[in-house]
């Protein structure tokens, strides 16, 4: 049953310089086909999306110079995830919570399909946060307008199972966890000394790393039918291996075996 005030980690957005190269690599690594692609001239970007069970992985690439994505890639030198997108029951509620915490919107849109709120990443830190509500989309396998019609046909859990969470790492993660918890209206808990926020779907982890100059969105937790095979495909695609997974488009993918 869906909570009346649900907040779900629904979509992760990564940034790439070349959308074609990103599609070639991720299609092979994830064992999935792109469920939706579009050109967003307003923001000077193009994107592709993968349906990972009821959540989504998006990759954006700039189509002209001096756009937000272009500046992000230059500023971070390819490190860190670009956006964390939350599906919520009431966007206005999260806007009020954000503003009460001193975080202002940088873009918002409300229409008969969906409500959308993007928060100033300079205030949220680590990555841009977006809160959406999709009309007719309370069920995670129902409407999700950013992915187009028929996205459910692209769901295939034979290789990639689901996204279970993300990790933020840096020197100010205690403050970051407190702020994000206030905006999400969920408590901060501790697990083995690591702050975390558990949502109705997905978990946010905040790892203190004083060696970083700033907090960054550093990792994606996901399940896979065969994590070893996924890591091998990532290595073949040119991704850097890590102890727990591989680096791909600025973040560490950490696949574990699906139950």
């Amino acid at each position: 049953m869906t909570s009346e005030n649900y907040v779900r980690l629904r979509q992760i957005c990564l940034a790439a310089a070349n959308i074609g190269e990103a599609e070639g690599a991720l299609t092979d690594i994830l064992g999935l086909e792109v469920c939706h692609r579009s050109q967003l001239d307003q923001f000077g970007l193009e994107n592709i999306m993968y349906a990972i069970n009821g959540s989504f992985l998006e990759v954006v690439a700039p189509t002209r110079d001096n756009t937000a994505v272009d500046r992000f890639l230059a500023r971070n030198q390819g490190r860190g995830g670009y956006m964390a997108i939350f599906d919520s029951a009431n966007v206005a509620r999260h806007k009020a919570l954000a503003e009460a915490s001193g975080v202002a919107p940088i873009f918002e849109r409300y229409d008969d399909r969906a409500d959308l709120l993007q928060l100033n990443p300079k205030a949220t830190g680590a990555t841009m946060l977006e809160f959406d509500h999709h009309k007719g989309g309370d069920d995670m396998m129902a409407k999700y307008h950013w992915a187009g019609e028929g996205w459910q046909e692209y769901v295939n859990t034979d290789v990639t199972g689901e996204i279970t969470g993300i990790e933020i790492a840096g020197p100010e993660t205690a403050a970051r966890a407190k702020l994000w918890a206030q905006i999400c209206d969920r408590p901060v808990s501790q697990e083995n000394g690591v702050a975390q926020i558990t949502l109705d779907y997905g978990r946010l982890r905040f790892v203190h790393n004083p060696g970083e100059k700033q907090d960054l969105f550093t990792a994606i937790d996901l399940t896979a039918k065969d994590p070893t095979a996924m890591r091998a495909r990532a290595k073949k695609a040119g991704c850097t291996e890590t102890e727990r997974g591989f680096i791909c488009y600025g973040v560490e993918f950490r696949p574990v075996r699906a139950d």
Side-chain angles (χ1 to χ4, degrees):
M1 181 178 293
T2 302
S3 165
E4 291 183 359
N5 288 315
Y6 64 81
V7 186
R8 305 183 291 219
L9 177 63
R10 196 67 190 280
Q11 182 177 330
I12 288 166
C13 181
L14 306 180
N18 184 295
I19 204 74
E21 291 179 3
E23 180 176 354
L26 286 167
T27 295
D28 185 53
I29 293 168
L30 300 174
L32 295 170
E33 296 296 325
V34 168
C35 71
H36 184 70
R37 67 181 74 237
S38 59
Q39 191 99 2
L40 302 174
D41 293 332
Q42 178 182 4
F43 301 107
L45 62 84
E46 56 187 336
N47 76 336
I48 55 174
M49 291 181 65
Y50 294 91
I52 302 180
N53 209 346
S55 56
F56 300 88
L57 176 66
E58 176 188 17
V59 182
V60 297
T63 56
R64 61 176 186 263
D65 293 338
N66 200 31
T67 62
V69 178
D70 186 53
R71 292 191 297 271
F72 171 84
L73 289 168
R75 181 175 63 250
N76 285 20
Q77 298 181 327
R79 297 187 65 217
Y82 185 58
M83 293 179 70
I85 300 172
F86 302 93
D87 181 26
S88 67
N90 186 338
V91 170
R93 179 166 164 266
H94 296 288
K95 179 182 178 180
L97 290 167
E99 290 180 331
S101 301
V103 178
I106 58 167
F107 181 80
E108 51 190 315
R109 185 181 68 218
Y110 305 90
D111 58 33
D112 58 358
R113 296 193 314 153
D115 299 336
L116 179 155
L117 170 73
Q118 293 179 346
L119 299 176
N120 188 336
K122 292 181 180 179
T124 61
T127 194
M128 186 187 299
L129 304 186
E130 176 177 312
F131 288 84
D132 303 326
H133 176 72
H134 294 263
K135 313 298 171 61
D138 289 341
D139 187 301
M140 286 186 65
M141 297 305 291
K143 293 284 187 181
Y144 193 79
H145 297 287
W146 309 160
E149 294 292 334
W151 64 264
Q152 298 89 341
E153 299 172 11
Y154 293 85
V155 172
N156 181 353
T157 57
D158 289 345
V159 176
T160 302
E162 61 181 348
I163 294 170
T164 59
I166 64 173
E167 185 171 287
I168 308 301
E172 303 291 339
T173 47
R176 194 75 48 229
K178 181 179 179 181
L179 175 62
W180 287 24
Q182 290 169 341
I183 297 171
C184 291
D185 197 22
R186 293 294 186 273
V188 178
S189 61
Q190 297 285 328
E191 183 178 273
N192 299 322
V194 175
Q196 63 179 16
I197 301 169
T198 301
L199 305 175
D200 295 85
Y201 180 86
R203 182 176 65 170
L204 317 176
R205 287 168 44 84
F206 300 82
V207 177
H208 183 241
N209 183 353
E212 292 283 0
K213 293 182 179 180
Q214 61 180 346
D215 291 349
L216 292 171
F217 166 10
T218 54
I220 300 171
D221 297 318
L222 69 161
T223 64
K225 186 174 183 179
D226 187 341
T228 301
M230 178 178 282
R231 293 174 67 164
R233 290 193 301 275
K235 181 179 180 180
K236 185 178 179 181
C239 300
T240 301
E241 291 184 278
T242 67
E243 184 177 342
R244 299 173 63 182
F246 53 91
I247 304 292
C248 190
Y249 295 102
V251 301
E252 182 182 20
F253 285 66
R254 296 174 176 170
V256 298
R257 189 172 299 278
D259 293 335

